[in-house]
Amino acid sequence: MKKKPSEEKEEAQASAPPAAPAVPETPEADAVSAEIKVLEDQMLRLRADFENYRKRSARERQEWTERAAEELLTQLLPVLDHFELGLKTAREHQTDTAVVDGFQLVYDQLQSALLKAGLKPIAADPGTTFDPHLHEAVSTLPSDTTPAEIILELTRRGYLLGSRLLRAAQVVVSRGPAAPADAEGQDG
């Protein structure tokens, strides 16, 4: 049986979800709606500003902590240098082995604590390649046995704090074989 158009219209209206009650278009309703939009926008901006503030505060706290650790470790580096020099001198002058061993244990403990704090010594052993980003050349020497740009001697150990250079390693670098004296340069 075929339905009449009026019956089809009634069925469509019955199956459709009920429409939201129409809000009368009044100036007061428009003003309230505009104010709600303004307040929602302000809330979103405040939320974003607070999130940015929270992240910035955390980043600044981290930077302060790193700077404080860097300053402390920078002040401890000369102590570490003198400790190493004292141990080397004690061994060279054949100081009592019990004393040297005791100081070596304290030195190792200090090194371990500094490593845990993020301090890493820079590799600058003789025979390694000179890296101007990590090493400071305090002198260059000619060498017939060592090619140019190779470290001959470490004069002061360098350190990294994490990935940042705290102090460059001071080294003596090879210039390579000595150049023969220039014959024209000797004529005076």
Side-chain angles (χ1 to χ4, degrees):
M1 200 168 154
K2 201 168 190 180
K3 296 183 183 175
K4 296 180 185 177
S6 60
E7 288 177 354
E8 287 178 356
K9 193 176 187 182
E10 287 175 10
E11 282 182 14
Q13 287 176 351
S15 65
V23 177
E25 295 289 327
T26 65
E28 294 167 351
D30 289 342
V32 168
S33 177
E35 187 175 343
I36 288 172
K37 287 183 181 182
V38 167
L39 290 174
E40 285 176 343
D41 185 54
Q42 285 178 346
M43 182 185 71
L44 286 174
R45 289 177 190 274
L46 284 172
R47 184 178 288 161
D49 286 345
F50 180 73
E51 186 64 24
N52 289 338
Y53 166 76
R54 193 178 61 75
K55 288 177 183 177
R56 185 177 60 248
S57 294
R59 186 175 54 246
E60 287 174 353
R61 248 190 329 274
Q62 180 67 26
E63 288 172 1
W64 290 337
T65 303
E66 288 173 2
R67 254 184 270 144
E70 183 177 329
E71 288 176 21
L72 176 64
L73 291 173
T74 300
Q75 292 175 7
L76 285 175
L77 290 182
V79 174
L80 195 59
D81 292 341
H82 291 120
F83 212 130
E84 289 175 354
L85 185 59
L87 278 170
K88 180 180 173 186
T89 303
R91 286 190 182 103
E92 288 173 357
H93 290 95
Q94 299 164 350
T95 305
D96 184 18
T97 57
V99 173
V100 173
D101 291 345
F103 275 104
Q104 184 66 49
L105 287 173
V106 173
Y107 175 76
D108 292 343
Q109 189 177 18
L110 178 61
Q111 281 278 47
S112 176
L114 294 174
L115 285 172
K116 285 180 186 175
L119 189 72
K120 293 183 266 182
I122 295 172
D125 299 322
T128 59
T129 304
F130 175 76
D131 180 354
H133 299 288
L134 299 174
H135 306 125
E136 177 184 349
V138 293
S139 179
T140 59
L141 295 174
S143 173
D144 292 331
T145 59
T146 307
E149 302 297 316
I150 299 296
I151 295 172
L152 296 173
E153 181 183 351
L154 173 67
T155 59
R156 185 177 79 172
R157 190 175 308 281
Y159 293 94
L160 296 170
L161 181 58
S163 61
R164 287 183 56 174
L165 180 65
L166 194 59
R167 182 177 78 182
Q170 292 183 341
V171 295
V172 176
V173 181
S174 171
R175 282 193 302 235
D182 186 34
E184 292 176 27
Q186 292 179 358
D187 292 339

